[in-house]
Amino acid sequence: MWAIPRGKSMHVTHMGTILGPIVASIDRLVSSRRSVVIVGGVMGSAGFIIGSQSTTVLQLTFSIAILSGIGKALSIFPCNGALASCFTDNYSDAIALVGSSIPISMIVYGPLTQILLDTYGWRGTMLIMGGITSNLVVCGALLKTPAVASPTDTEQYQQVPNDAANGDISTEGDDIPCAKSHHGKCLTIKENIQRVFISMDFKLLANTRFIFLTAAMSGYDFCFAGWIVYMVSHGIFQGLSSYQASLLPTSFGIGYFIGKFAAPLLDRTRFKLHTCTWVYLGCVLMCASYLTEAFIVPFHVQMIVTGFIGIGQGITSQSHDVLVRFLTSVDRLVAVLCWQALIGGFCGIGGGLLTGLIYEWTGSFQGALIMYSGIMLISILLFFIYEQITKREQDQC
């Protein structure tokens, strides 16, 4: 991203998420998730390696956005589906461990990249990043998923405990074609196209709970993308030195890490809270922290408030991961994640671009942070509507 203008880098970063529905189709139709993840690792690594030899911004953008972006999507979503298939009783703990890679990478990636840039230049850094990404190939080769869901597993997730996800599981959409369908039968081009479109699971877009849960998280994605891009710039605008501002992502990453494990750890004590209660707590914390961040100046206070923003982000992300797991049946989880990624990706692009425009119009980031605070209030309302719809569906069962 070092040679790509900021506006373009937003599109590059979200390319993998925008391809979500296509990845959902591939995951449904290809018989082996292991093969999909391996291909994703190869493409992701190739994007960085080829990009290291680029001579123009267009070539660099193409190699990262197309190759690495698609590779990222092919790796992440099938792995999440495999995780849900393997973990039933301790899914919250498992997804927290997986999600902790985000704050850890935020803490490590920035300093590591700067060291590599100073030592090897941007081309050498790209080559090393390509080598690191190639480890996805090995991880994909070791990936294991249950071949067929057992009847007990299916029965277990027809009714979800209230302390897990506050909702029952829909079996709607079980007629979606999978990789084992039509074996031994030669299909026409039209039939193959129909299978691809059906496997994208457009029926999810008519699911009321999916609509409100995705809308609520879209506000989260909008604020998250804008804050990540302009966090350091806002610190400098508030009077911090470049070194002090560079520490803000570390504070945010530590807070995010704490937020991801807050619910799984407290769930093992007598202070266990409902998943939707955690969502409200995370959104309220972000709402208050964004508003406070807009007006504070001292370095140590900015570090603390940025950490609280990270905690709110981590709590909300963790709670959302659990709610999504129990939104529908396991075999449709990848499609749910992919559609949410598509919508969230566009919201993330909009969040970054609109934040930049607000800075150009007003000369500060205060307006954007106040906007983030208001958006989180809207997300709270949408989560509340989701919870009420879920309770109503449970009562009808």
Side-chain angles (χ1 to χ4, degrees), residues 179-188 191-192 194-195:
K180 297 181 180 180
S181 303
H182 304 289
H183 277 187
K185 178 182 178 182
C186 183
L187 301 178
T188 64
E191 289 173 331
N192 279 306
Q194 288 177 341
R195 289 188 68 208

Side-chain angles (χ1 to χ4, degrees), residues 156-230:
Q156 178 179 358
Y157 286 104
Q158 293 306 310
Q159 184 68 31
V160 179
N162 285 333
D163 57 1
N166 188 37
D168 57 345
I169 287 187
S170 169
T171 57
E172 178 185 358
D174 293 337
D175 57 341
I176 298 173
C178 63
K180 297 181 180 180
S181 303
H182 304 289
H183 277 187
K185 178 182 178 182
C186 183
L187 301 178
T188 64
I189 295 178
K190 180 179 179 180
E191 289 173 331
N192 279 306
I193 293 176
Q194 288 177 341
R195 289 188 68 208
V196 170
F197 274 95
I198 293 174
S199 61
M200 289 184 183
D201 205 352
F202 284 94
K203 290 182 179 180
L204 284 171
L205 302 180
N207 185 299
T208 307
R209 287 200 298 154
F210 171 83
I211 292 172
F212 280 99
L213 183 59
T214 303
M217 283 305 296
S218 294
Y220 168 95
D221 293 328
F222 182 94
C223 299
F224 180 83
W227 176 241
I228 289 297
V229 172
Y230 294 101

Side-chain angles (χ1 to χ4, degrees), residues 8-38:
K8 291 184 179 179
S9 69
M10 289 296 301
H11 295 80
V12 171
T13 304
H14 289 89
M15 176 58 68
T17 58
I18 290 174
L19 296 172
I22 298 177
V23 176
S25 177
I26 294 174
D27 179 76
R28 174 72 66 169
L29 297 177
V30 176
S31 59
S32 173
R33 274 181 176 161
R34 180 182 301 174
S35 301
V36 175
V37 176
I38 290 175

